Amino acid sequence: MAEIRAVGEAMERALALLESGDVVAIPTETVYGLAGDATNGVAVARIFEAKGRPRFNPLIAHIADPAMAERIALFDPLSERLAQAFWPGPLTLVLPQRPGNGIHPLVTAGLDTIALRMPKGFGGELIARFGRALAAPSANSSGRISATTAEAVAADLGPRIKLVVDGGATPVGLESTILKVETGKLRLLRPGGIAAGEIEAVAGMKLLRGASGIEAPGMLASHYAPGAAVRLNAAEVTPGEALLAFGRSRAEGWRDAAALRNLSETGDLREAASNLFAHLQNLDRSGARTIAVEPIPFDGLGEAINDRLSRAAAPRDKIAPRDKMDWAP
């Protein structure tokens, strides 16, 4: 079973495991990540093994500083401006790879682009000490709810990994926003912890949406799924359903809900994003067969919240296509 150590006591143990080619669950500002040496194919393979994901799809490489990023990818003026504005933080940039960057091909699935992010806090400090980029998808079994606490990681992956670094509940609570920087334009591949409007204000242009083929994490049709079914935009609650609420107005029949959690009593989307995965896990543990979800607005971080909920509610009997990426913080 995984050992859980607080961030103040975990650095040396985490470094030793990474140096040996093992994996470590670490806190970031978004969700917990399952980290391994991005230059070591054995370490990257162990990430997929621990998550129970048989296909080897591309991952995000996490870096400690701009100099490390420049050694791995090619930046144009627009991507440099975005990195200066939002790094460290919940933004991932998909950029052309720099030849000879040392990143193992399993991280990028042989693509000529790479997804880069600079995390805050312990993750950034760990990478700086380690001296190499870390590949780090979310620290949960493949397709399940992302973990926002060390306890959630240990309950899921505990028997398969050696160390969970406990940094408390993650403040953002959603995975990073992913942008592909193309010639003279930006494409939003995954909404996340930074709202599209904030990015557009810095970039001075509107974001395009949509992708083709292998471009970004978190694009599987069914993802972030609890064991219970998920029903969206619920105007009423049937007996036995759990309710994921939002704001002050309740769906009809809410008093009969098997369990209830409110993402934000005041309708604050930032608070709702922070609570999303933890509340889904809590309602899933209630034993309800279905989680009814009240409507959530799409503005600001609502776009990312609705994206995660729609994937949690998607049919689960479909095999994910080969041309989709794994997901990461």
Side-chain angles (χ1 to χ4, degrees), residues 186-188 196 200 207-211 303:
L186 289 173
R187 189 171 298 276
L188 179 66
E200 289 172 341
L207 301 185
L208 303 175
R209 285 166 170 78
E303 180 179 10

Side-chain angles (χ1 to χ4, degrees), residues 192-213:
I194 299 176
E198 296 179 64
I199 297 167
E200 289 172 341
V202 171
M205 65 179 69
K206 288 288 186 182
L207 301 185
L208 303 175
R209 285 166 170 78
S212 60

Side-chain angles (χ1 to χ4, degrees), residues 1-7 9-18 22-27 32-35 122 126 139 150 153-154 157-158 160-166:
M1 193 68 183
E3 176 186 11
I4 300 178
R5 289 195 186 188
V7 292
E9 305 168 349
M11 181 64 75
E12 298 307 321
R13 174 64 170 152
L15 286 169
L17 287 169
L18 292 173
D22 216 324
V23 298
V24 178
I26 63 171
Y32 275 71
L34 186 61
F122 180 86
L126 177 65
V153 177
L157 299 183
R160 289 173 257 168
I161 63 176
K162 296 175 182 176
L163 176 65
V164 179
V165 180
D166 188 356

Side-chain angles (χ1 to χ4, degrees), residues 166-186:
D166 188 356
T170 60
V172 176
L174 287 174
E175 296 82 0
S176 61
T177 301
I178 301 181
L179 294 178
K180 185 175 185 182
V181 182
E182 302 170 316
T183 304
K185 58 186 179 181
L186 289 173

Side-chain angles (χ1 to χ4, degrees), residues 68-81:
M68 186 180 289
E70 291 278 0
R71 292 194 294 270
I72 294 171
L74 300 172
F75 285 73
D76 64 5
L78 177 57
S79 55
E80 286 179 352
R81 187 159 77 249

